[in-house]
Amino acid sequence: MLTDRGRKKIYQPKIFKETRLDVIHELIREHSFATLVTQINGELCADHLPFILNDDNTKLLAHISKANPLWKKFKNADDVMVIFQGPHHYISPNWYPSKQEHHKEVPTWNYAVVQVQGSMELNDDPEWLLSFLNNLTDKHENDQEIPWKVSDAPDDYIAQQLKAIAGIEVTINTIDAKWKMGQNKPAKDIKGAVSGLSEIDTNNAAGVAELMNKHTD
């Protein structure tokens, strides 16, 4: 669900707002290591966790150690935030042809981010956890020549590990998604920035260049 109902949100110029759920879900799946922000006794807490979307894209699933204060302090929360950071990179004014014409350009940073707000429940049911861990493992072992499976480990060992963790279910209530990819720039400057990024051999540079080409047509 995408909504602006009475809540704080990220600074969001309309030109950078992304509302296509298929695009948003793709970023969540590809950049699934996210920051979970909660409040415990009035203090903000941040946990950095790998998440997966459930089958109907209504929940974010993760897990924590039971040593984590999240498990010790509460088992549910009405308002949490999960932040997914996609590709991002510095953009030099020197890449813009417009800079050569009038010099009225400054550096910026291009990025894609998804900010989810929802309600959280913690779950230590062994069957739920085992199903979740199978899905999480299958996702991240998919590109291995011989994927590791949870069932590769002894049953009693897995049972012992399950006792030490708790699952997280965040029911998605609202989503803000921001793709700052040069949409406010003329086509020649977008092309120039993409060309500049192509000279940098990093995943972030390549990712931003790809998104600029996709989202500034």
Side-chain angles (χ1 to χ4, degrees):
M1 181 184 296
L2 293 158
T3 180
D4 296 327
R5 292 182 301 172
R7 61 189 180 84
K8 294 181 179 179
K9 57 181 182 177
I10 56 176
Y11 170 59
Q12 183 69 291
K14 186 176 181 180
I15 195 170
F16 300 139
K17 188 177 181 67
E18 179 57 71
T19 60
R20 294 169 294 177
L21 284 175
D22 59 330
V23 173
I24 292 169
H25 293 155
E26 181 182 6
L27 184 139
I28 289 174
R29 291 189 179 96
E30 291 187 358
H31 302 273
S32 57
F33 188 72
T35 302
L36 170 67
V37 181
T38 58
Q39 276 198 340
I40 298 179
N41 297 328
E43 293 187 358
L44 288 174
C45 301
D47 289 275
H48 309 283
L49 307 167
F51 282 85
I52 57 175
L53 273 167
N54 69 342
D55 290 341
D56 63 1
N57 301 320
T58 60
K59 291 185 178 183
L60 295 170
L61 311 178
H63 70 294
I64 56 171
S65 165
K66 285 185 177 177
N68 190 308
L70 282 179
W71 174 252
K72 296 178 179 180
K73 298 295 184 180
F74 56 78
K75 292 198 175 183
N76 58 68
D78 292 333
D79 192 19
V80 302
M81 182 180 292
V82 186
I83 303 168
F84 296 88
Q85 177 72 66
H88 59 93
H89 206 280
Y90 173 82
I91 305 296
S92 172
N94 290 326
W95 296 340
Y96 298 145
S98 294
K99 183 261 185 186
Q100 313 306 326
E101 299 170 6
H102 51 64
H103 299 281
K104 296 178 181 178
E105 297 291 348
V106 294
T108 192
W109 204 280
N110 281 2
Y111 59 91
V113 65
V114 173
Q115 184 172 290
V116 174
Q117 284 188 251
S119 56
M120 182 181 73
E121 294 183 4
L122 301 185
N123 189 340
D124 66 344
D125 177 71
E127 291 186 9
W128 187 98
L129 286 166
L130 185 58
S131 175
F132 161 75
L133 291 175
N134 279 323
N135 290 334
L136 181 67
T137 302
D138 289 348
K139 168 183 167 65
H140 292 290
E141 288 282 333
N142 186 53
D143 59 353
Q144 298 294 314
E145 184 176 352
I146 303 177
W148 182 85
K149 300 285 186 182
V150 174
S151 58
D152 288 351
D155 289 345
D156 57 344
Y157 175 77
I158 294 300
Q160 181 183 18
Q161 295 297 306
L162 292 177
K163 292 178 182 179
I165 64 173
I168 289 176
E169 297 180 82
V170 177
T171 299
I172 298 172
N173 294 331
T174 61
I175 297 176
D176 282 313
K178 184 175 182 180
W179 263 239
K180 183 181 176 295
M181 291 292 158
Q183 298 97 317
N184 58 332
K185 294 293 183 181
K188 63 181 180 181
D189 286 348
I190 294 170
K191 184 177 180 180
V194 169
S195 177
L197 288 165
S198 69
E199 299 297 318
I200 301 172
D201 186 21
T202 66
N203 289 337
N204 268 326
V208 169
E210 181 181 358
L211 288 181
M212 288 183 73
N213 280 326
K214 281 185 179 179
H215 296 280
T216 56
D217 291 338

